[in-house]
Amino acid sequence: MGTSLREQNYQGTFTYMRGSQLETINIVHQYNEGEEHERLIALNGAAREVVRDDGEVICYHADKADADLDHNVPLGPFSAAFNEKLTNYQQLYRVTLHGTDRIAGRTAVKLQILPIHNDRYGYQLWLDQETGLLLRSHLMDHNRVLELFQFATIEFGDAVVSAEVASRLSEDAFSHRLTPDTAKVGVARPDWRATWLPDGFRPTRAMDDRLHFTDGLATLSIFVERSTGHEPEMTTHLGGTSVIVRRLKSQPVQITVVGEIPLDTAKRIAESVEPVIY
Amino acid sequence: MSGQQNESISALMDGEASEIEIHRLLRDLEKTEAMKRRFFTFQSIRQVIRSPSSGQVSLDVERHMVLFNRISAAVSEEPCHDLAAPVKRRWTRPVAGFAVAASLLVAIGVGVNLSQEQVAGTVADQQPALQPDSRSPAVNTRPVSTAVAGADTPSGLAPGVPSDLYQLKELDEANLKVLREYLNRHDRARLGSDQQLVTYPKPAR
């Protein structure tokens, strides 16, 4: 399957369900001269489009007055490159093939990815047999489906032209960048660290007040903020995404762990966060 | 549409429908256009009610019906190749249909589970069924434990999961905002999670 996910031209509609969030998204993906271009149009809610130009992701809002910059980003369950690394997960997950299925009119290869340890969730994936594109996925807690992603329609081909991947919202649409400033990515020395992480989780970003990790499938984030002492401590979850907010006993600091991991795992990570002494 | 069907839809939206009611509704949904239209209208209303301040408009009923029909058509042709026993084959066909509706039903409060019968077999070879599940986190964000910590409150994490779970709507607006901010910041971090790894103080083992 390799890099085919990125190197295909396709357009379609997918739904992504996570807890009470239900996104229905129209996607146009173009691979041209080594660069990816992608346009995601939210079919629900305020008119909004996300345009990915290779490494940069910009969100366009039709109405500046209603533009809530702190909105979610409907990109689906995984990072763009997740299936390029499927073969690397064998230390963490047991991957088995389960024949073929038919999703959105396409033949899909069905994979089961079970965690070797109980500190993370499992997955069921349906990958397009011809291209490797993820057509459907379930985030699984044993036999329970926590999150669901599925293409309803999908068409492949060379018909995607550049105009299709540019935002069609009017020129006065309000836009803001979703990708972080590359100058800041991964260069700041983190002031905090987790002394315990599940096996296989590696840092993808480490800034002074936030840490991001992935094991290739699941991702988790740790945020550290100054506490006023009156914020609520919360243990909650949205679909398969756990959120734990706690305050440190020794300092006026609030630790928040967010990730597609079980609550017990998030709790243990949160308990392990401590300042880094350089 | 019968009064019973209306009551069942209403119960479904309130998370109070029985498993039998859900199965009957999903079966009827496949059969009648009027039922589908009613269902998606209810769903749109529900979404607006749930986020009255957002000013957002849901996917309209017509488009929702088109989407539903396309998904249904695609999945109804899915083979049951993994199932050997005829009795299971009969059972699994409607289950596949329930899976189809999963992404559409979420907005009205129905969890997604595998049936017990499926659990008995190989999980990977089977389809999820929709079941009302009071434990399921798949529908609502439920703060398992929330407490405003005072000066004398010991820090550390809340104890285990209590039985009295709350729904997202029961969080006050300030906490909802905080929760959404963390989720969004986490989601946006995934935009670059396929990038190269970075240096980081190694965790102690």
Side-chain angles (χ1 to χ4, degrees):
Chain A
M1 284 171 271
T3 57
S4 58
L5 174 67
R6 296 172 141 187
E7 297 180 3
Q8 291 286 330
N9 291 328
Y10 57 86
Q11 46 192 321
T13 301
F14 68 79
T15 56
Y16 181 34
M17 179 200 85
R18 184 176 68 172
S20 57
Q21 290 182 352
L22 170 65
E23 301 282 357
T24 306
I25 304 293
N26 185 250
I27 182 171
V28 183
H29 184 99
Q30 180 197 51
Y31 185 78
N32 188 20
E33 298 180 352
E35 290 190 348
E36 277 184 284
H37 306 280
E38 193 172 82
R39 176 167 160 246
L40 298 131
I41 306 109
L43 299 183
N44 286 355
R48 199 168 68 210
E49 295 185 356
V50 173
V51 174
R52 183 202 297 263
D53 274 319
D54 210 19
E56 187 153 70
V57 184
I58 306 286
C59 184
Y60 295 87
H61 298 257
D63 188 346
K64 185 175 182 180
D66 290 338
D68 176 9
L69 302 190
D70 199 29
H71 56 79
N72 62 321
V73 184
L75 295 180
F78 300 113
S79 70
F82 89 95
N83 68 345
E84 296 170 20
K85 305 170 189 167
L86 278 177
T87 54
N88 298 334
Y89 304 150
Q90 292 177 3
Q91 304 296 319
L92 311 170
Y93 297 92
R94 186 162 53 86
V95 182
T96 50
L97 280 168
H98 292 268
T100 57
D101 246 335
R102 192 156 181 266
I103 306 293
R106 307 271 308 177
T107 301
V109 177
K110 187 175 177 182
L111 301 178
Q112 167 130 314
I113 302 180
L114 289 176
I116 290 173
H117 305 293
N118 281 330
D119 54 14
R120 68 202 81 199
Y121 293 131
Y123 302 83
Q124 290 179 336
L125 305 180
W126 286 256
L127 303 178
D128 185 74
Q129 187 173 48
E130 187 180 336
T131 66
L133 182 71
L134 180 71
L135 295 179
R136 175 170 168 176
S137 73
H138 294 164
L139 176 64
M140 306 289 297
D141 179 12
H142 298 93
N143 65 323
R144 298 169 67 208
V145 180
L146 302 179
E147 296 185 9
L148 186 151
F149 164 90
Q150 178 171 313
F151 269 101
T153 63
I154 183 79
E155 292 178 2
F156 293 88
D158 299 325
V160 176
V161 295
S162 296
E164 292 287 325
V165 290
S167 173
R168 288 189 180 174
L169 295 179
S170 61
E171 286 186 358
D172 56 350
F174 177 72
S175 65
H176 62 113
R177 182 178 173 173
L178 297 180
T179 34
D181 185 347
T182 51
K184 294 181 180 176
V185 173
V187 296
R189 285 203 313 181
D191 295 333
W192 300 83
R193 67 171 185 167
T195 58
W196 181 85
L197 288 168
D199 282 342
F201 274 89
R202 307 284 300 278
T204 54
R205 274 181 211 163
M207 302 172 73
D208 48 359
D209 61 349
R210 64 180 64 184
L211 309 164
H212 301 287
F213 304 86
T214 183
D215 69 349
L217 285 170
T219 57
L220 70 90
S221 302
I222 299 172
F223 303 101
V224 182
E225 290 171 317
R226 183 156 293 278
S227 168
T228 63
H230 298 291
E231 299 90 349
E233 294 199 325
M234 286 196 292
T235 304
T236 185
H237 56 124
L238 178 70
T241 304
S242 296
V243 184
I244 283 188
V245 183
R246 66 175 289 239
R247 289 191 298 117
L248 277 189
K249 208 181 274 187
S250 56
Q251 300 184 49
V253 165
Q254 176 180 293
I255 308 290
T256 303
V257 175
V258 185
E260 301 84 52
I261 49 178
L263 275 172
D264 285 346
T265 302
K267 181 177 175 180
R268 190 171 172 192
I269 294 167
E271 286 173 339
S272 80
V273 174
E274 65 177 28
V276 177
I277 300 171
Y278 290 100
Chain B
M1 178 177 298
S2 71
Q4 186 184 33
Q5 284 175 327
N6 276 338
E7 285 180 17
S8 295
I9 290 179
S10 179
L12 192 62
M13 290 182 172
D14 293 335
E16 295 172 353
S18 68
E19 189 175 350
I20 292 173
E21 279 180 305
I22 291 172
H23 284 216
R24 187 173 59 230
L25 273 173
L26 291 171
R27 185 193 61 210
D28 292 346
L29 201 61
E30 296 280 355
K31 288 179 181 173
T32 64
E33 289 295 308
M35 180 79 173
K36 267 183 227 169
R37 190 174 297 278
R38 182 78 168 181
F39 183 83
F40 293 131
T41 302
F42 268 68
Q43 183 169 318
S44 298
I45 294 168
R46 180 72 166 188
Q47 285 178 328
V48 170
I49 290 172
R50 282 194 164 189
S51 53
S53 60
S54 69
Q56 295 184 348
V57 180
S58 303
L59 187 66
D60 66 58
V61 173
E62 296 300 329
R63 295 176 78 177
H64 223 147
M65 288 186 66
V66 169
L67 184 60
F68 178 88
N69 288 333
R70 294 184 79 163
I71 297 173
S72 296
V75 179
S76 66
E77 296 171 18
E78 286 186 33
C80 299
H81 52 83
D82 288 327
L83 304 171
V87 64
K88 264 195 166 179
R89 188 181 295 272
R90 281 202 309 274
W91 171 244
T92 304
R93 174 56 65 190
V95 166
F98 299 152
V100 173
S103 60
L104 302 172
L105 285 173
V106 61
I108 60 169
V110 180
V112 184
N113 256 15
L114 292 178
S115 69
Q116 289 303 310
E117 182 166 333
Q118 288 173 314
V119 174
T122 306
V123 171
D125 291 344
Q126 295 160 351
Q127 302 289 335
L130 286 170
Q131 289 183 349
D133 178 5
S134 61
R135 296 175 303 113
S136 172
V139 175
N140 290 300
T141 298
R142 291 166 176 157
V144 176
S145 175
T146 63
V148 177
D152 57 348
T153 304
S155 69
L157 298 180
V161 180
S163 57
D164 55 334
L165 301 176
Y166 304 100
Q167 293 199 347
L168 179 65
K169 61 186 177 185
E170 293 177 28
L171 281 175
D172 63 36
E173 197 55 41
N175 284 335
L176 273 176
K177 188 169 185 298
V178 169
L179 185 65
R180 288 191 187 115
E181 282 176 5
Y182 286 130
L183 286 166
N184 293 339
R185 285 158 68 183
H186 169 70
D187 283 347
R188 291 180 188 190
R190 292 200 298 193
L191 289 170
S193 64
D194 52 331
Q195 295 173 353
Q196 69 278 11
L197 301 174
V198 298
T199 56
Y200 170 75
K202 288 192 179 299
R205 287 287 176 187

